[in-house]
Amino acid sequence: MAGSPARAIAGLAAAATCVGLLGIASPVRAAQGQTLAARTGFVQVVAHPDDDLLFMSPDLAQDIRRGEGVTTVVLTAGEGHAGIKDHHDPHAYVAQRRQGLHASYAAMAGVRDGWRVETVRSGRVKVEVHTLTARPDIHLAFLSLPDGRDPRPRIGRRATAQLLADHRSVKCAATVTPKHSPYAHCYTHADVVHALVTLFQRYRPTVVRTQDPAPDRRYTADHTDHVAAAGFATEAVHSSGQPLVQVDYRDYNLTDTPVNLGKADRTAKERYFADYRAHDYRINPEAQNFASWQERMRYRWPRGASWTTLAGNGRLQAFAVLSGRLYTWWQTPTGWAGPASLGGSDLDPSLTTADGQVFARKGGALVAVRPRYAGGRWTATWTSLGAATGTPVAVSGKNGGNAVFVRNAKGGVSVKCQAANGSWTPSWQELRGPAAKAVQRRAVAPSSPTPRTTAPATPPSSASPSSSTTPSASPSRRPRHILPSLPLPGTGTTPATGGTPSPTPPRPAPGKSTPASPAPTTTAPSGGPTTTPPTAARKRTRTIPPGRDIQDGMDAVGGNAGIELFAPTRTQLLQWRQSRGCTFVYAGAVPGVRPGGPVTATRDAGGNPTLVYEVGGSTAIRQVKETGHRWSDPATPLRAVFHKVGEAPVPTGSRVPPPALPFPAIGVPMVATDGTGQVFALALAEDGRLYVSSRGAGGIFGAWRPVA
């Protein structure tokens, strides 16, 4: 929430978790009797059947259960190595994986598993679309491109990634379809983008979900098909001509982060994935990575709570990235207006504000935007601040100066500062953090190209709570999970009692060959051999020191008391204090805090920094306060908090939470104060509109009202 007017709100030192504040548990369609003409719609663009179930749920499942229109586009056939090291027909395997998706989506919708096949023409190609008969607003579209690990296509391995890089559309990749199928084509780069835009136009989404376009290289490497799917989705969104909300999800490296789903979400996610898994013979029930993914969901670019700023006239202004462009809404003497485009292109979804400026990532660089309103229209001045790896956080400090922090390519923190005259320091300065221990590596089969699994360094005992009070955030310390066995398609076998594998021939390696999290050797049922999880022999683990383990989701507080930065790692929350100018001194890890994701920092009425965070390995919300450079013990907040999985919890400043939003929020709502002292809650909802709720007498928030 850095740089936000909300920092001036008295009483934000205490806050309380309120389940359902974002409206995600209710199919409410109107606020306080207000009729809304808006609508929502969702398109997921994924590489393989099951990517949506593993990496985009519970978001996906909640939308389907609420009755929303949902379309999932699967770019590849997902045939993998079927038929190479076994006798399974690849086309039969493709059909079985689709049957698995059918079963899972029907279960999420709570209807009978029956589908009809439709054809959507896009230029010179035809797209195969399956529609759920009992819920005709649910669709599965299949382009059937070759799986990136299949060496058999004429174009070679990594077919989808090759197409993404071929912007001139010289290459083409033949679909994995039967010889005389009407959906047999040779897709070029342009064909894929055109097909996605056609599907967007047909199903009219307000939100497009996709995979990780820029996986963090410190952790488990991702599948090239996942990155390519995200690249194609992003290009199609930017080419759609509509202001769409894009949400990117982390994939394989979820296993390197703390568990962040509650029991109910995990149970539902496991149940729906089991419906799919019964049809996929290549999923090994002992593969720990699948169980690990079902305990987590994380956004690639957390949106934070610093997307409003106080303009020079004392009025609030809100910002969001839609279809890669910057949009704004603004407070007027009689209410709110917008949205208006400020231009830009290829912007990542997350941004931060400070002192009337907006900071956002564009490709691998950070840009600063200063909007101006003149002659009845908005214009903006854009300035490049140089290379930046992570999501930014900006804050105003002493004497009108600003500082913007980013996670750098080394995994640490870098800062640039702006003087009161508007000039910036010439280069990024890396903050000196905790003393880095030597990186320890343990290589197994070093010649293997399989991605490595990483674990966070063990934090100092003085900064770590006891295991009896806070669950461990390290995936490597969690007990090993074994998926219960399921019958193979067409085998007629049944699960053995207690989840023990039934006496069937051993399954081949799982279709997703990323390594599982570190796990001990396991023993098969009585009489069987001792085995190791299929990918364990190809793992390579290493320890990352805390100073190189910074996660997206930093926050900072500023003002005349100076700037303090708080940066979460996977096991600690690190703190820096401003010394003078653009110099920051490392103050250590905040004692007792093990964050499970992004954090929110505010100052209370006395100017004391207060942190609100989700505890790693759980869904519990805690807060700590610093008084005289001494931190309080973590405690449950006393006032209402906006909370959404994967985002920073945001204090509302009120004991009574605002009413439920008409539509779920994108990211997390935030609280801001205008120049007159009026407090507002603001939220970008899944219908793409900004909603505003004002706080009245007694600290009670009014109904959410959409802006234009």
Short mmCIF file of all heavy atoms in Angstrom, two decimals, residues 150-190:
data_model
loop_
_atom_site.label_atom_id
_atom_site.label_comp_id
_atom_site.label_asym_id
_atom_site.label_seq_id
_atom_site.Cartn_x
_atom_site.Cartn_y
_atom_site.Cartn_z
N ASP A 150 7.44 -33.48 -27.16
CA ASP A 150 7.27 -34.52 -28.17
C ASP A 150 8.30 -34.30 -29.28
O ASP A 150 8.27 -33.26 -29.96
CB ASP A 150 5.85 -34.47 -28.73
CG ASP A 150 5.53 -35.65 -29.63
OD1 ASP A 150 6.46 -36.41 -29.99
OD2 ASP A 150 4.35 -35.82 -29.99
N PRO A 151 9.22 -35.25 -29.51
CA PRO A 151 10.23 -35.06 -30.55
C PRO A 151 9.74 -35.42 -31.95
O PRO A 151 10.48 -35.24 -32.92
CB PRO A 151 11.34 -36.02 -30.11
CG PRO A 151 10.60 -37.14 -29.45
CD PRO A 151 9.42 -36.51 -28.76
N ARG A 152 8.52 -35.92 -32.10
CA ARG A 152 8.06 -36.46 -33.37
C ARG A 152 7.61 -35.42 -34.40
O ARG A 152 7.71 -35.66 -35.60
CB ARG A 152 6.92 -37.46 -33.12
CG ARG A 152 7.38 -38.74 -32.44
CD ARG A 152 6.22 -39.56 -31.89
NE ARG A 152 5.57 -38.92 -30.76
CZ ARG A 152 4.72 -39.52 -29.94
NH1 ARG A 152 4.40 -40.80 -30.15
NH2 ARG A 152 4.18 -38.87 -28.92
N PRO A 153 7.09 -34.25 -34.01
CA PRO A 153 6.64 -33.28 -35.02
C PRO A 153 7.78 -32.85 -35.94
O PRO A 153 8.95 -32.81 -35.54
CB PRO A 153 6.13 -32.11 -34.18
CG PRO A 153 5.78 -32.70 -32.87
CD PRO A 153 6.79 -33.79 -32.65
N ARG A 154 7.43 -32.52 -37.15
CA ARG A 154 8.44 -32.08 -38.13
C ARG A 154 9.16 -30.82 -37.66
O ARG A 154 10.36 -30.65 -37.92
CB ARG A 154 7.77 -31.83 -39.48
CG ARG A 154 8.73 -31.34 -40.56
CD ARG A 154 8.05 -31.24 -41.91
NE ARG A 154 7.57 -32.55 -42.37
CZ ARG A 154 6.94 -32.76 -43.53
NH1 ARG A 154 6.70 -31.73 -44.33
NH2 ARG A 154 6.55 -33.97 -43.87
N ILE A 155 8.47 -29.95 -36.94
CA ILE A 155 9.10 -28.72 -36.46
C ILE A 155 10.06 -29.01 -35.32
O ILE A 155 10.91 -28.18 -34.98
CB ILE A 155 8.00 -27.72 -35.99
CG1 ILE A 155 8.59 -26.32 -35.81
CG2 ILE A 155 7.31 -28.20 -34.74
CD1 ILE A 155 7.55 -25.26 -35.49
N GLY A 156 9.96 -30.18 -34.70
CA GLY A 156 10.85 -30.56 -33.60
C GLY A 156 10.24 -30.27 -32.24
O GLY A 156 9.06 -29.92 -32.12
N ARG A 157 11.05 -30.43 -31.21
CA ARG A 157 10.59 -30.15 -29.85
C ARG A 157 10.28 -28.67 -29.68
O ARG A 157 10.69 -27.83 -30.47
CB ARG A 157 11.65 -30.57 -28.83
CG ARG A 157 11.96 -32.06 -28.80
CD ARG A 157 13.05 -32.33 -27.76
NE ARG A 157 13.52 -33.72 -27.80
CZ ARG A 157 13.02 -34.69 -27.05
NH1 ARG A 157 12.03 -34.43 -26.21
NH2 ARG A 157 13.51 -35.91 -27.13
N ARG A 158 9.57 -28.38 -28.59
CA ARG A 158 9.24 -27.00 -28.23
C ARG A 158 8.49 -26.30 -29.36
O ARG A 158 8.76 -25.15 -29.69
CB ARG A 158 10.49 -26.22 -27.84
CG ARG A 158 11.27 -26.84 -26.68
CD ARG A 158 12.60 -26.14 -26.42
NE ARG A 158 12.45 -24.73 -26.14
CZ ARG A 158 12.80 -23.76 -26.96
NH1 ARG A 158 13.34 -24.05 -28.13
NH2 ARG A 158 12.63 -22.51 -26.63
N ALA A 159 7.53 -26.99 -29.94
CA ALA A 159 6.83 -26.45 -31.10
C ALA A 159 6.14 -25.12 -30.78
O ALA A 159 6.27 -24.14 -31.53
CB ALA A 159 5.81 -27.46 -31.61
N THR A 160 5.39 -25.06 -29.68
CA THR A 160 4.65 -23.84 -29.36
C THR A 160 5.60 -22.70 -29.05
O THR A 160 5.36 -21.55 -29.45
CB THR A 160 3.70 -24.09 -28.18
OG1 THR A 160 2.91 -25.25 -28.44
CG2 THR A 160 2.78 -22.91 -27.96
N ALA A 161 6.69 -22.98 -28.36
CA ALA A 161 7.68 -21.94 -28.08
C ALA A 161 8.33 -21.45 -29.37
O ALA A 161 8.60 -20.24 -29.51
CB ALA A 161 8.74 -22.48 -27.12
N GLN A 162 8.58 -22.35 -30.30
CA GLN A 162 9.14 -21.93 -31.58
C GLN A 162 8.18 -21.00 -32.32
O GLN A 162 8.59 -20.00 -32.91
CB GLN A 162 9.45 -23.14 -32.44
CG GLN A 162 10.63 -23.98 -31.98
CD GLN A 162 11.01 -25.01 -33.03
OE1 GLN A 162 11.36 -24.68 -34.17
NE2 GLN A 162 10.93 -26.29 -32.64
N LEU A 163 6.89 -21.34 -32.29
CA LEU A 163 5.91 -20.48 -32.97
C LEU A 163 5.85 -19.10 -32.31
O LEU A 163 5.73 -18.09 -33.00
CB LEU A 163 4.53 -21.13 -32.93
CG LEU A 163 4.32 -22.41 -33.73
CD1 LEU A 163 2.85 -22.82 -33.69
CD2 LEU A 163 4.78 -22.25 -35.18
N LEU A 164 5.90 -19.07 -30.98
CA LEU A 164 5.83 -17.78 -30.29
C LEU A 164 6.98 -16.87 -30.72
O LEU A 164 6.80 -15.66 -30.91
CB LEU A 164 5.87 -18.00 -28.78
CG LEU A 164 5.84 -16.72 -27.94
CD1 LEU A 164 4.51 -16.00 -28.10
CD2 LEU A 164 6.10 -17.04 -26.47
N ALA A 165 8.17 -17.44 -30.88
CA ALA A 165 9.33 -16.64 -31.26
C ALA A 165 9.33 -16.25 -32.73
O ALA A 165 10.06 -15.33 -33.13
CB ALA A 165 10.61 -17.41 -30.94
N ASP A 166 8.52 -16.91 -33.54
CA ASP A 166 8.51 -16.69 -35.00
C ASP A 166 7.45 -15.65 -35.37
O ASP A 166 6.40 -15.97 -35.92
CB ASP A 166 8.24 -18.02 -35.70
CG ASP A 166 8.27 -17.88 -37.23
OD1 ASP A 166 8.97 -16.97 -37.73
OD2 ASP A 166 7.58 -18.67 -37.89
N HIS A 167 7.73 -14.39 -35.08
CA HIS A 167 6.74 -13.33 -35.32
C HIS A 167 6.44 -13.12 -36.79
O HIS A 167 5.40 -12.55 -37.14
CB HIS A 167 7.22 -12.02 -34.68
CG HIS A 167 7.24 -12.06 -33.18
ND1 HIS A 167 6.14 -11.79 -32.41
CD2 HIS A 167 8.24 -12.36 -32.30
CE1 HIS A 167 6.44 -11.90 -31.13
NE2 HIS A 167 7.71 -12.25 -31.03
N ARG A 168 7.30 -13.57 -37.67
CA ARG A 168 7.05 -13.41 -39.11
C ARG A 168 6.22 -14.55 -39.67
O ARG A 168 5.89 -14.56 -40.85
CB ARG A 168 8.38 -13.32 -39.85
CG ARG A 168 9.23 -12.11 -39.44
CD ARG A 168 10.57 -12.11 -40.14
NE ARG A 168 10.43 -12.07 -41.58
CZ ARG A 168 11.43 -12.22 -42.45
NH1 ARG A 168 12.66 -12.43 -41.98
NH2 ARG A 168 11.23 -12.17 -43.74
N SER A 169 5.88 -15.53 -38.83
CA SER A 169 5.03 -16.66 -39.23
C SER A 169 5.61 -17.44 -40.40
O SER A 169 4.91 -17.82 -41.35
CB SER A 169 3.61 -16.18 -39.56
OG SER A 169 2.97 -15.68 -38.41
N VAL A 170 6.92 -17.69 -40.33
CA VAL A 170 7.58 -18.50 -41.36
C VAL A 170 7.36 -19.98 -41.08
O VAL A 170 7.10 -20.77 -41.98
CB VAL A 170 9.08 -18.16 -41.42
CG1 VAL A 170 9.80 -19.09 -42.40
CG2 VAL A 170 9.29 -16.70 -41.80
N LYS A 171 7.45 -20.37 -39.81
CA LYS A 171 7.30 -21.77 -39.43
C LYS A 171 5.83 -22.11 -39.21
O LYS A 171 5.00 -21.22 -38.98
CB LYS A 171 8.07 -22.06 -38.14
CG LYS A 171 9.56 -21.82 -38.21
CD LYS A 171 10.20 -22.11 -36.86
CE LYS A 171 11.71 -21.87 -36.88
NZ LYS A 171 12.32 -22.14 -35.56
N CYS A 172 5.55 -23.41 -39.25
CA CYS A 172 4.22 -23.85 -38.85
C CYS A 172 4.35 -25.19 -38.13
O CYS A 172 5.30 -25.95 -38.37
CB CYS A 172 3.25 -23.95 -40.02
SG CYS A 172 3.50 -25.34 -41.14
N ALA A 173 3.40 -25.46 -37.24
CA ALA A 173 3.39 -26.70 -36.46
C ALA A 173 2.09 -27.44 -36.77
O ALA A 173 1.00 -26.89 -36.57
CB ALA A 173 3.50 -26.40 -34.98
N ALA A 174 2.22 -28.67 -37.22
CA ALA A 174 1.05 -29.49 -37.56
C ALA A 174 0.37 -29.97 -36.28
O ALA A 174 1.03 -30.35 -35.31
CB ALA A 174 1.46 -30.67 -38.42
N THR A 175 -0.94 -29.97 -36.28
CA THR A 175 -1.71 -30.40 -35.11
C THR A 175 -1.57 -31.91 -34.89
O THR A 175 -1.32 -32.68 -35.82
CB THR A 175 -3.19 -30.05 -35.29
OG1 THR A 175 -3.64 -30.59 -36.54
CG2 THR A 175 -3.40 -28.55 -35.29
N VAL A 176 -1.75 -32.30 -33.64
CA VAL A 176 -1.76 -33.72 -33.28
C VAL A 176 -3.21 -34.18 -33.34
O VAL A 176 -3.94 -34.19 -32.34
CB VAL A 176 -1.15 -33.93 -31.89
CG1 VAL A 176 -1.14 -35.42 -31.53
CG2 VAL A 176 0.26 -33.37 -31.83
N THR A 177 -3.65 -34.53 -34.53
CA THR A 177 -5.02 -34.94 -34.79
C THR A 177 -5.01 -36.13 -35.75
O THR A 177 -4.03 -36.34 -36.47
CB THR A 177 -5.82 -33.79 -35.43
OG1 THR A 177 -5.08 -33.26 -36.54
CG2 THR A 177 -6.08 -32.66 -34.44
N PRO A 178 -6.08 -36.91 -35.77
CA PRO A 178 -6.15 -37.99 -36.76
C PRO A 178 -6.00 -37.45 -38.17
O PRO A 178 -6.27 -36.28 -38.45
CB PRO A 178 -7.55 -38.59 -36.52
CG PRO A 178 -7.85 -38.27 -35.10
CD PRO A 178 -7.22 -36.93 -34.84
N LYS A 179 -5.58 -38.30 -39.07
CA LYS A 179 -5.17 -37.90 -40.42
C LYS A 179 -6.23 -37.09 -41.15
O LYS A 179 -5.93 -36.09 -41.80
CB LYS A 179 -4.80 -39.14 -41.23
CG LYS A 179 -4.24 -38.83 -42.61
CD LYS A 179 -3.77 -40.10 -43.30
CE LYS A 179 -3.18 -39.78 -44.68
NZ LYS A 179 -2.72 -41.02 -45.36
N HIS A 180 -7.49 -37.50 -41.08
CA HIS A 180 -8.54 -36.84 -41.85
C HIS A 180 -9.43 -35.96 -40.99
O HIS A 180 -10.56 -35.66 -41.36
CB HIS A 180 -9.38 -37.89 -42.59
CG HIS A 180 -8.59 -38.71 -43.55
ND1 HIS A 180 -8.01 -38.18 -44.69
CD2 HIS A 180 -8.26 -40.04 -43.53
CE1 HIS A 180 -7.36 -39.14 -45.35
NE2 HIS A 180 -7.50 -40.28 -44.66
N SER A 181 -8.92 -35.53 -39.85
CA SER A 181 -9.71 -34.69 -38.96
C SER A 181 -9.95 -33.31 -39.58
O SER A 181 -9.05 -32.74 -40.22
CB SER A 181 -8.98 -34.51 -37.62
OG SER A 181 -9.58 -33.48 -36.85
N PRO A 182 -11.15 -32.74 -39.43
CA PRO A 182 -11.39 -31.38 -39.94
C PRO A 182 -10.58 -30.33 -39.17
O PRO A 182 -10.51 -29.18 -39.62
CB PRO A 182 -12.89 -31.19 -39.72
CG PRO A 182 -13.25 -32.15 -38.63
CD PRO A 182 -12.34 -33.32 -38.82
N TYR A 183 -9.99 -30.72 -38.05
CA TYR A 183 -9.22 -29.78 -37.25
C TYR A 183 -7.72 -29.92 -37.48
O TYR A 183 -6.91 -29.35 -36.74
CB TYR A 183 -9.55 -29.96 -35.77
CG TYR A 183 -11.03 -29.90 -35.50
CD1 TYR A 183 -11.75 -31.05 -35.18
CD2 TYR A 183 -11.72 -28.70 -35.62
CE1 TYR A 183 -13.12 -31.00 -34.95
CE2 TYR A 183 -13.10 -28.64 -35.40
CZ TYR A 183 -13.79 -29.79 -35.08
OH TYR A 183 -15.15 -29.74 -34.87
N ALA A 184 -7.34 -30.68 -38.50
CA ALA A 184 -5.92 -30.85 -38.83
C ALA A 184 -5.44 -29.62 -39.59
O ALA A 184 -5.97 -29.30 -40.66
CB ALA A 184 -5.73 -32.12 -39.66
N HIS A 185 -4.46 -28.94 -39.05
CA HIS A 185 -3.91 -27.73 -39.67
C HIS A 185 -2.43 -27.65 -39.34
O HIS A 185 -1.92 -28.39 -38.50
CB HIS A 185 -4.60 -26.47 -39.14
CG HIS A 185 -6.08 -26.42 -39.34
ND1 HIS A 185 -6.66 -26.22 -40.57
CD2 HIS A 185 -7.10 -26.58 -38.46
CE1 HIS A 185 -7.97 -26.25 -40.44
NE2 HIS A 185 -8.27 -26.47 -39.18
N CYS A 186 -1.76 -26.72 -39.99
CA CYS A 186 -0.39 -26.39 -39.64
C CYS A 186 -0.40 -24.93 -39.19
O CYS A 186 -0.49 -24.00 -40.01
CB CYS A 186 0.55 -26.59 -40.83
SG CYS A 186 2.30 -26.77 -40.38
N TYR A 187 -0.39 -24.72 -37.88
CA TYR A 187 -0.54 -23.39 -37.28
C TYR A 187 0.76 -22.59 -37.38
O TYR A 187 1.84 -23.10 -37.10
CB TYR A 187 -0.90 -23.51 -35.81
CG TYR A 187 -2.37 -23.68 -35.51
CD1 TYR A 187 -2.95 -24.94 -35.50
CD2 TYR A 187 -3.17 -22.58 -35.21
CE1 TYR A 187 -4.30 -25.11 -35.20
CE2 TYR A 187 -4.51 -22.73 -34.90
CZ TYR A 187 -5.07 -24.00 -34.90
OH TYR A 187 -6.40 -24.16 -34.59
N THR A 188 0.61 -21.32 -37.76
CA THR A 188 1.70 -20.36 -37.66
C THR A 188 1.48 -19.48 -36.43
O THR A 188 0.44 -19.57 -35.76
CB THR A 188 1.77 -19.46 -38.90
OG1 THR A 188 0.57 -18.65 -38.95
CG2 THR A 188 1.88 -20.29 -40.18
N HIS A 189 2.44 -18.62 -36.16
CA HIS A 189 2.29 -17.66 -35.06
C HIS A 189 1.02 -16.84 -35.25
O HIS A 189 0.21 -16.69 -34.32
CB HIS A 189 3.51 -16.74 -35.04
CG HIS A 189 3.46 -15.66 -33.99
ND1 HIS A 189 4.25 -15.68 -32.87
CD2 HIS A 189 2.72 -14.52 -33.90
CE1 HIS A 189 4.00 -14.60 -32.14
NE2 HIS A 189 3.07 -13.88 -32.74
N ALA A 190 0.82 -16.31 -36.45
CA ALA A 190 -0.36 -15.48 -36.71
C ALA A 190 -1.65 -16.27 -36.54
O ALA A 190 -2.66 -15.73 -36.06
CB ALA A 190 -0.27 -14.89 -38.11
#
